[in-house]
């Protein structure tokens, strides 16, 4: 059944700059429309929770063809005998709205109004009026801001800014949908929605997090271990929020709980009990992101104690991080040796690295560079400086003309400089850091003085040696902080921006007490990441006073968040696929073994 049926063809750009059109054309229609199918059990579960409060009026801001309305019709009689009198739904697509309208007619005693139009336009007309709904349910569209029409973008910005919230052009359509819906919810009312898991950690969700804490008394996020939407890379969460009652309005922030759930059998339980029994964290104890609420009280306590230690520093106290070289056309400016030889570009070539496959360890040296050359990687950064075209050799001019035939000179970053092939802000740093990581981020000692592009950061130590910084960066404390501060998207890759890197905690050791060569070998030999952390923790975290038990708790906390980021499909689907392919049976024991892997590694290492 479709819980997010909103047809966004009139919200999504039909024309755009060439680079955007190509990107849009590569997306699936479901992704562009923000419409994926939702199991009826999800809609029923959310409805059971809001109906328990006996609402007299319900809003569904993105009703599609009426999936939630049909689920309402299937609820037990006692759940529907709550005095519900009014139902309002919004749907952009007229044909889908007509289906929802027909479904609503089958709800006895309920006056329904299915609005055929953009919910953001509809809600903007009501933001200056009193709230009017006791409950709000739905699954708002997940559509990137860049894909919206100019009018839809303008409406999204107006809704967010109306409440003095931070607006960014990295936002998503679901953000103003949730904020606008909350504004129309009566005090004491309930909101239940399916929203992206990025609610917890991305910067553009900060406005929603702030508004929820400000307007709601309790917020429960149900966080599935599996991906619940077929063909959707990012995970979703179920958001259950109870708006403050009039007498509770004040400066005090609401409370947040995040409950990890495994399998859809959980949805057969009581949403009321789940909401009441969750372990809530005061909003003022949470930073801007909510990932901290995924940790236990004990894990948060250990972090608080470490944060106050004189043996720990924030990254910003030890070093600075800046974006690597922005070329505007990496495939043109980063080339293998074969291209150098074909066009005679050797005089303009400089060593570079910028991807994880370029650096298997934590040291980039002559040996690493030679290996990359042998493998045919683009190890050369082309820096033409400001040499005029007439001063270049014929082969070099031919290469530049090749780039122009591909319209590279028309790209934004290229066309704003003169000449377009002259890359600015070119300098090296003693340490590099790749933007994205699979298990946890690592720094790279740049012994070759190689360049890095904007796929990596340039790190300049200011209170510690480069070697010491690289070595002390690998430990469970810093890895856990990266999970709490960073963000991730489809595929589970962790990404950090400089402001997030600055907040990472690093244990500080006296200079000269490192085993960087040993650490480099462990990475190059592909030692399991958890085993590397255990060994590092004994040396680094043990040296600053953490017991073995506390080290293990940090390791388990990191492992928990890392595994959450690497979401998998549900067990039923995985077992079905395994059976059809003749694979060995997947069972509960596999999951238990994974959960205890870090603890077992710690025990082995301690022996």
């Amino acid at each position: 059944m479709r819980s997010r049926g909103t047809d966004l063809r009139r919200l999504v750009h039909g024309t755009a700059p060439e680079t955007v059109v190509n990107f849009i054309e590569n997306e699936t229609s479901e992704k562009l429309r923000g419409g994926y199918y939702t199991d009826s059990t999800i809609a029923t579960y959310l409805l059971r929770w809001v109906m328990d409060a006996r609402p007299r009026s319900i809003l569904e801001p993105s009703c599609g063809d009426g999936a939630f309305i049909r689920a309402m019709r299937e609820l037990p009689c006692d759940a529907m005998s709550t005095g519900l009198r009014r139902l309002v739904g919004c749907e952009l697509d007229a044909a889908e709205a007509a289906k929802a309208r027909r479904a609503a007619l089958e709800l006895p005693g309920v006056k329904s109004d299915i609005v055929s139009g953009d919910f953001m336009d509809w809600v903007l007309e009501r933001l200056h009026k009193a709230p009017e709904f006791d409950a709000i349910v739905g699954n708002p569209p997940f559509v990137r801001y860049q894909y919206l029409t100019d009018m839809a973008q303008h409406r999204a910005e107006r809704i967010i800014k109306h409440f003095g919230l931070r607006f960014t052009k990295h936002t998503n359509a679901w953000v103003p949908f949730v904020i606008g819906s909350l504004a129309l919810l009566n005090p004491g009312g309930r909101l239940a929605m399916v929203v992206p898991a990025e609610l917890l950690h991305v910067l553009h969700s900060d406005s929603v997090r702030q508004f929820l804490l400000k307007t709601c008394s309790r917020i429960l996020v149900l966080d599935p271990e599996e991906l619940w939407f077929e063909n959707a890379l990012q995970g979703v969460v179920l958001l259950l929020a109870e708006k403050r009652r009039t007498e509770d309005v004040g400066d005090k922030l609401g409370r947040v709980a995040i409950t990890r759930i495994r399998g859809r059998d959980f949805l057969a339980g009581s949403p009321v009990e789940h909401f009441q029994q969750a372990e809530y964290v005061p909003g003022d104890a949470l930073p801007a992101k909510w990932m901290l609420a995924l940790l236990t009280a004990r894990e948060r306590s250990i972090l608080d104690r470490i944060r106050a230690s004189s043996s720990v520093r924030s990254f910003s106290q030890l070093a600075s991080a800046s974006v690597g070289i922005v070329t505007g056309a990496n495939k043109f400016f980063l080339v293998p040796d074969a291209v150098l030889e074909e066009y005679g570009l050797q005089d303009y070539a400089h060593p570079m690295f910028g991807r994880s496959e370029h650096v298997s360890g934590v040291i980039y040296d002559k040996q690493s560079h030679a290996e990359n050359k042998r493998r045919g990687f683009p190890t050369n950064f082309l820096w033409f400086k400001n040499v005029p075209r007439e001063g270049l050799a014929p082969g070099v001019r031919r290469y530049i003309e090749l780039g122009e035939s591909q319209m590279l000179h028309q790209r934004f970053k290229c066309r704003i400089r003169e000449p377009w092939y002259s890359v600015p802000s070119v300098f090296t740093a003693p340490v590099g850091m790749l933007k994205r990581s699979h298990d946890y981020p690592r720094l790279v000692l740049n012994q070759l003085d190689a360049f890095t592009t904007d796929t990596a950061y340039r790190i300049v130590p200011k209170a510690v040696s480069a070697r010491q910084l690289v070595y002390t960066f690998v430990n469970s404390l810093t890895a856990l902080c990266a999970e709490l501060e960073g963000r991730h998207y489809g595929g589970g890759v962790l990404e950090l921006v400089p402001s997030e890197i600055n907040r990472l905690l690093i244990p500080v050791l006296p200079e000269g007490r490192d085993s960087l060569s040993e650490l480099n070998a462990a990475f190059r030999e592909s030692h399991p990441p958890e085993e590397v952390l255990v060994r590092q923790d004994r040396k680094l975290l043990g040296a600053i006073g953490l017991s073995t038990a506390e080290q293990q708790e940090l390791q388990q906390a990191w492992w928990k968040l890392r595994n959450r980021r690497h979401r998998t499909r549900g067990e039923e689907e995985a077992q079905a696929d395994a059976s059809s392919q003749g694979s060995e049976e997947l069972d509960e024991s596999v999951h238990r073994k994974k959960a205890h892997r870090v603890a077992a590694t710690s025990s082995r290492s301690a022996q």
Side-chain angles (χ1 to χ4, degrees):
M1 103 185 207
R2 185 183 298 278
S3 67
R4 183 167 68 257
T6 301
D7 190 334
L8 291 165
R9 284 173 294 183
R10 285 184 286 137
L11 279 183
V12 175
H13 271 296
T15 59
E18 181 180 355
T19 56
V20 178
V21 170
N22 289 338
F23 190 62
I24 288 177
E25 289 176 349
N26 289 334
E27 300 289 11
T28 64
S29 60
E30 288 84 359
K31 186 168 182 179
L32 287 175
R33 295 172 59 239
Y36 291 96
Y37 287 86
T38 306
D39 192 294
S40 61
T41 55
I42 298 176
T44 301
Y45 178 88
L46 297 179
L47 283 166
R48 284 195 290 131
W49 185 66
V50 300
M51 296 304 291
D52 175 77
R54 305 182 68 82
R56 296 182 64 83
S57 55
I58 292 181
L59 169 67
E60 213 286 60
S62 53
C63 66
D65 62 0
F68 273 83
I69 298 172
R70 289 193 298 277
M72 194 180 304
R73 191 180 61 200
E74 300 300 323
L75 290 174
C77 293
D78 59 338
M80 284 301 296
S81 58
T82 62
L84 180 63
R85 294 292 178 266
R86 181 185 177 212
L87 169 67
V88 175
C90 288
E91 170 53 41
L92 189 67
D93 184 81
E96 296 292 280
K99 296 176 186 177
R101 201 169 288 120
R102 288 194 294 271
L105 292 175
E106 299 184 29
L107 296 176
V110 178
K111 181 180 179 181
S112 61
D113 179 16
I114 306 300
V115 179
S116 180
D118 179 8
F119 168 75
M120 291 191 290
D121 185 39
W122 183 83
V123 78
L124 279 168
E125 298 174 356
R126 290 161 173 77
L127 290 184
H128 295 283
K129 301 178 182 179
E132 53 183 303
F133 296 98
D134 297 328
I136 297 175
V137 296
N139 192 342
F142 307 174
V143 182
R144 294 173 59 180
Y145 178 85
Q146 291 86 350
Y147 290 170
L148 301 177
T149 63
D150 292 342
M151 180 60 72
Q153 290 179 353
H154 178 62
R155 290 168 179 165
E157 183 175 357
R158 284 182 60 194
I159 292 171
I160 295 172
K161 287 185 174 179
H162 177 84
F163 299 99
L165 301 169
R166 177 178 177 270
F167 170 76
T168 168
K169 291 185 178 181
H170 296 290
T171 194
N172 195 294
W174 69 270
V175 171
F177 267 68
V178 174
I179 292 172
S181 296
L182 273 172
L184 301 183
L185 187 62
N186 287 324
R190 293 181 175 183
L191 176 144
M193 285 185 166
V194 181
V195 298
E198 64 185 30
L199 164 71
L200 304 180
H201 58 84
V202 300
L203 294 177
H204 71 247
S205 299
D206 183 57
S207 54
V208 177
R209 293 191 292 267
Q210 287 186 38
F211 201 57
L212 283 164
L213 288 174
K214 180 180 178 181
T215 60
C216 298
S217 55
R218 286 182 294 179
I219 303 132
L220 173 61
V221 179
L222 299 175
D223 185 28
E225 291 186 4
E226 307 88 2
L227 288 174
W228 278 4
F229 283 81
E230 186 178 358
N231 299 324
L233 286 176
Q234 68 173 318
V236 300
V237 296
L238 306 186
L239 172 65
L240 282 64
E242 187 175 66
K243 198 167 184 179
R244 295 173 185 268
R245 299 185 182 278
T246 305
E247 61 270 21
D248 296 332
V249 175
D251 294 333
K252 188 176 181 180
L253 298 177
R255 295 179 293 155
V256 178
I258 304 176
T259 301
R260 293 282 282 149
I261 60 177
R262 186 181 183 206
R264 301 195 186 199
D265 290 346
F266 176 91
L267 301 179
S270 168
V272 177
E273 291 182 4
H274 296 156
F275 193 82
Q276 295 295 340
Q277 296 172 4
E279 297 182 10
Y280 290 89
V281 180
D284 54 11
L286 295 174
K289 299 183 180 185
W290 287 358
M291 295 294 290
L292 196 65
L294 284 163
L295 303 186
T296 65
R298 168 67 178 168
E299 291 163 347
R300 293 195 299 272
S301 175
I302 294 175
L303 268 181
D304 288 340
R305 184 169 67 82
I306 294 174
R307 201 179 300 273
S309 170
S310 60
S311 299
V312 171
R313 298 285 188 275
S314 67
F315 188 91
S316 61
Q317 293 175 301
L318 301 177
S320 63
S322 61
V323 177
I325 300 167
V326 179
T327 70
N330 277 353
K331 288 186 177 180
F332 177 83
F333 290 100
L334 312 178
V335 298
D337 286 352
V339 174
L340 297 185
E341 296 170 3
E342 181 178 356
Y343 293 93
L345 302 168
Q346 290 85 347
D347 290 344
Y348 305 96
H350 304 268
M352 65 77 57
F353 67 88
R355 300 179 62 178
S356 58
E357 62 182 5
H358 297 164
V359 191
S360 58
V362 292
I363 299 174
Y364 195 76
D365 52 16
K366 290 182 179 180
Q367 178 185 351
S368 304
H369 194 63
E371 289 175 359
N372 289 341
K373 282 180 172 291
R374 283 196 296 272
R375 297 171 69 182
F377 288 158
T379 57
N380 305 286
F381 164 60
L382 298 178
W383 187 20
F384 300 106
K385 300 184 180 180
N386 290 316
V387 179
R389 190 182 299 240
E390 57 272 17
L392 299 171
V396 180
R397 291 200 300 270
R398 188 161 53 90
Y399 186 70
I400 290 174
E401 290 165 0
L402 173 66
E404 291 170 343
S405 71
Q406 298 169 354
M407 303 303 292
L408 299 184
H409 62 302
Q410 294 298 322
R411 291 188 179 182
F412 176 72
K413 294 292 185 181
C414 296
R415 72 171 183 262
I416 61 174
R417 62 196 187 213
E418 182 62 37
W420 72 268
Y421 53 81
S422 178
V423 178
S425 186
V426 176
F427 62 89
T428 64
V431 178
M433 176 182 172
L434 299 178
K435 267 189 178 181
R436 296 175 177 175
S437 57
H438 181 73
D439 291 304
Y440 46 77
R442 57 192 163 96
L443 302 182
V444 177
L445 184 63
N446 187 9
Q447 288 189 345
L448 193 62
D449 201 30
F451 290 103
T452 57
T453 63
D454 54 357
T455 57
Y457 296 115
R458 291 177 279 197
I459 309 296
V460 179
K462 56 187 180 183
V464 65
S465 70
R467 181 184 182 91
Q468 191 79 349
L469 181 65
V470 172
Y471 180 71
T472 56
F473 193 82
V474 180
N475 63 86
S476 292
L477 170 63
T478 306
L480 176 58
C481 288
E483 296 290 346
L484 295 172
E485 297 290 350
R487 79 284 300 278
H488 53 273
Y489 305 99
V493 175
L494 179 65
E495 179 179 316
L496 293 102
V497 298
S499 61
E500 295 162 343
I501 297 170
N502 285 338
R503 293 191 290 270
L504 301 182
L505 298 180
I506 316 290
V508 177
L509 292 183
E511 288 286 346
R513 292 177 55 183
D514 68 72
S515 304
L516 189 61
S517 297
E518 180 183 326
L519 179 63
N520 186 55
F523 276 105
R524 289 179 62 87
E525 294 167 9
S526 301
H527 290 197
E530 64 274 16
E531 292 184 6
V532 174
L533 288 184
V534 168
R535 290 196 295 268
Q536 286 289 102
D537 288 352
R538 286 208 315 273
K539 300 173 184 177
L540 301 177
L541 303 186
I544 65 171
L546 265 68
S547 67
T548 300
E550 289 172 325
Q551 294 172 38
Q552 290 176 354
E553 288 182 89
L554 289 181
Q555 291 155 14
Q556 290 283 7
W558 162 75
W559 183 258
K560 173 172 57 180
L561 297 192
R562 179 262 193 194
N563 282 355
R564 176 190 176 276
R565 178 163 50 85
H566 295 172
R567 293 175 187 269
T568 59
R569 293 177 303 154
E571 281 185 33
E572 297 84 1
E573 293 89 345
Q575 287 182 356
D577 281 359
S579 298
S580 66
Q581 295 171 14
S583 302
E584 61 184 17
E585 183 179 357
L586 301 175
D587 56 23
E588 179 73 12
S589 64
V590 173
H591 182 81
R592 287 199 300 268
K593 288 176 183 177
K594 287 182 178 179
H596 294 291
R597 185 176 174 186
V598 172
T601 299
S602 300
S603 299
R604 289 197 304 271
S605 300
Q607 292 173 355

